[in-house]
Amino acid sequence: MSFELSGRLQALPPYLFVEIDKAKRKARQEGRDIIDLGIGDPDQPTPRFIIDSLYQAAQNPSNHRYALDQGMPALRTAIAGWYDRRFAVKLDPDTEVLPLIGSKEGIAHFPLAYINPGDYSLVPDPCYPPYKGGTIFAGGKPYLMPLLAENQFLPDLKKIPATVLKKARLLYVNYPNNPTGAVCDGKFYRQILAFARKHKLIVISDLAYSEMSYDGYQPMSMLEVDGARDCVIEFHSHSKTYNMTGWRVGWACGNKALVAALGKVKSNIDSGIFSAIQVAAVSALESDQEHVRSMSRLYQERRDALVDGLNGLGWKVQKPRATFYIWAGIPGGRKSIDFAADVLARADIVITPGVGFGAAGEGYVRFALTVDKARMKEAVTRLRAIL
Ligand SMILES: *Cc1c(COP(=O)(O)O)cnc(C)c1O
């Protein structure tokens, strides 16, 4: 028998990495020495103290049962404490914080709370794919806002048609940005907030990369802006900050009603985060954050090795001030899928074609800083041979 897929599944954007994934698997099977700069997943292990905390908490039978939907009070309090220390933003742990099974699920589920069929979400292009997927699953339509180099990869709000704005409910912002590595300042957040007020929009701020920054730069939270709590929900995660992508723990915070609505969606779908993971997540947030600083030093070295190397080849790319991504315009204007396939075939290096993040990503490739400095230099040497 064969069954027709639902309209919502069919409406998802096509998966553009099929060919590259195939080529990557084949190269591995052939035993080629692949340098993988494709996936945004930290290569370093989770810090020992966090693993120890999980190990201890896992021995306690009271942690083996269904967790509370809204997360342990200790985790919500630890998240609020971390926000206060890091951003001087005071959150009520009972009403303004919601732990998530990784922030991706929260980001993908949130539109179910506010999107009706035919409504729009204003989504950056290129972007992290769940912004589009979550909107489509809820019956909505993503309206894509191109992020262009000439605008420092910030959306141009003036270009959004009035007809779209009338039916728009959600606006996504993600700075520091995946995949462009761009950052924003308080002025940009204040503009976004004024725009959201004017058009009655909910702002979804994805802050996954706030702790990966360089050259002394410290990203801010949108919740630092006066009045942001009127319409902003911010998503954050242990994944990138503490090398915990596989653990699945993150959170949403900000406007009470928005947080409660997401909680209501989730209580109908999941049954919370394994309690031992929540205990370990508390230990990460309450630690001295030395791990975070040392990871940023490590990524900064790799960034410099790669960007200085590429610039030395005459391939002009910018050093990002945050994230572990290098967003590089492709020399000679080649298509990103062809270029990435060529780099894999001839240099055994995996990079991500920009078009996979949206049409406005065409003409770019993304390098992730997920191998050590010596391998980065090796990657540059291999690229010199083929460029
Ligand atoms: C990695 C990433 C996340 C975090 O995802 P988790 O589900 O928390 O692991 C969120 N947003 C962006 C843009 C990311 O790149």
Side-chain angles (χ1 to χ4, degrees):
M1 284 195 291
S2 81
F3 300 97
E4 193 180 343
L5 292 171
S6 68
R8 69 181 72 81
L9 212 53
Q10 293 187 40
L12 287 178
Y15 184 69
L16 295 174
F17 302 138
V18 186
E19 291 304 319
I20 294 238
D21 283 354
K22 240 198 258 167
K24 180 163 123 183
R25 266 199 307 278
K26 184 158 163 281
R28 285 239 164 80
Q29 275 163 7
E30 289 166 4
R32 280 156 55 190
D33 176 28
I34 299 292
I35 301 179
D36 193 346
L37 308 178
I39 301 174
D41 191 350
D43 58 305
Q44 296 294 302
T46 305
R48 187 76 234 173
F49 73 91
I50 301 174
I51 299 170
D52 289 344
S53 168
L54 170 72
Y55 182 78
Q56 291 225 320
Q59 324 278 327
N60 181 349
S62 71
N63 288 332
H64 298 169
R65 313 188 63 190
Y66 282 124
L68 296 173
D69 285 342
Q70 74 273 34
M72 285 179 169
L75 178 55
R76 284 183 273 118
T77 303
I79 290 166
W82 185 87
Y83 248 74
D84 190 12
R85 290 189 298 280
R86 175 64 179 80
F87 301 117
V89 168
K90 295 202 189 312
L91 297 166
D92 176 351
D94 291 329
T95 59
E96 295 179 319
V97 176
L98 179 68
L100 301 170
I101 310 170
S103 62
K104 183 179 185 178
E105 67 94 352
I107 289 166
H109 285 138
F110 185 76
L112 291 172
Y114 289 98
I115 289 283
N116 284 312
D119 288 346
Y120 278 103
S121 289
L122 308 176
V123 176
D125 175 17
C127 76
Y128 182 55
Y131 306 158
K132 287 184 219 166
T135 296
I136 292 168
F137 279 166
K141 292 186 278 195
Y143 174 82
L144 302 176
M145 306 178 289
L147 304 184
L148 306 177
E150 68 212 51
N151 300 326
Q152 288 73 51
F153 301 107
L154 302 173
D156 185 353
L157 302 173
K158 296 187 297 295
K159 293 264 164 76
I160 305 167
T163 47
V164 169
L165 278 172
K166 230 181 265 165
K167 288 198 286 179
R169 311 283 324 267
L170 311 179
L171 167 62
Y172 291 80
V173 292
N174 167 220
Y175 296 96
N177 183 258
N178 176 13
T180 68
V183 298
C184 75
D185 56 13
K187 183 169 159 240
F188 169 77
Y189 280 142
R190 285 191 293 277
Q191 283 166 0
I192 290 285
L193 185 59
F195 187 80
R197 283 227 167 89
K198 183 164 169 205
H199 299 287
K200 297 197 171 24
L201 300 168
I202 294 165
V203 179
I204 297 165
S205 167
D206 181 351
L207 199 58
Y209 293 97
S210 71
E211 305 313 293
M212 257 186 206
S213 67
Y214 316 113
D215 309 321
Y217 170 70
Q218 282 273 293
M220 65 183 282
S221 156
M222 188 164 174
L223 295 175
E224 289 177 50
V225 176
D226 269 343
R229 228 171 291 207
D230 294 348
C231 62
V232 176
I233 184 166
E234 196 154 74
F235 287 86
H236 213 302
S237 169
H238 286 65
S239 287
K240 311 291 166 39
T241 306
Y242 303 108
N243 303 340
M244 290 173 70
T245 48
W247 295 54
R248 312 314 302 137
V249 57
W251 68 90
C253 59
N255 179 278
K256 242 186 252 194
L258 303 180
V259 165
L262 178 57
K264 189 166 176 184
V265 170
K266 278 172 54 61
S267 68
N268 284 281
I269 295 177
D270 67 65
S271 300
I273 309 161
F274 178 34
S275 299
I277 288 180
Q278 297 193 52
V279 171
V282 170
S283 78
L285 293 166
E286 293 186 341
S287 68
D288 61 14
Q289 310 302 299
E290 181 45 40
H291 154 81
V292 176
R293 286 184 287 275
S294 75
M295 285 308 300
S296 283
R297 285 193 293 271
L298 185 78
Y299 291 128
Q300 185 169 327
E301 275 187 357
R302 295 172 176 183
R303 177 199 69 168
D304 292 347
L306 179 63
V307 174
D308 292 344
L310 293 178
N311 286 340
L313 303 181
W315 186 354
K316 293 293 171 219
V317 301
Q318 299 279 330
K319 281 187 184 175
R321 296 167 79 193
T323 77
F324 60 172
Y325 302 117
I326 308 297
W327 186 241
I330 300 167
R334 296 178 58 194
K335 293 273 189 236
S336 60
I337 290 193
D338 297 345
F339 182 76
D342 198 37
V343 166
L344 176 56
R346 294 168 62 211
D348 290 342
I349 299 170
V350 178
I351 50 179
T352 307
V355 74
F357 301 100
E362 186 53 282
Y364 289 85
V365 283
R366 191 191 74 176
F367 291 84
L369 301 172
T370 47
V371 300
D372 67 26
K373 197 167 130 190
R375 288 290 272 176
M376 275 304 175
K377 289 188 170 166
E378 164 71 15
V380 172
T381 304
R382 291 187 193 179
L383 287 168
R384 172 177 295 122
I386 70 156
L387 280 179

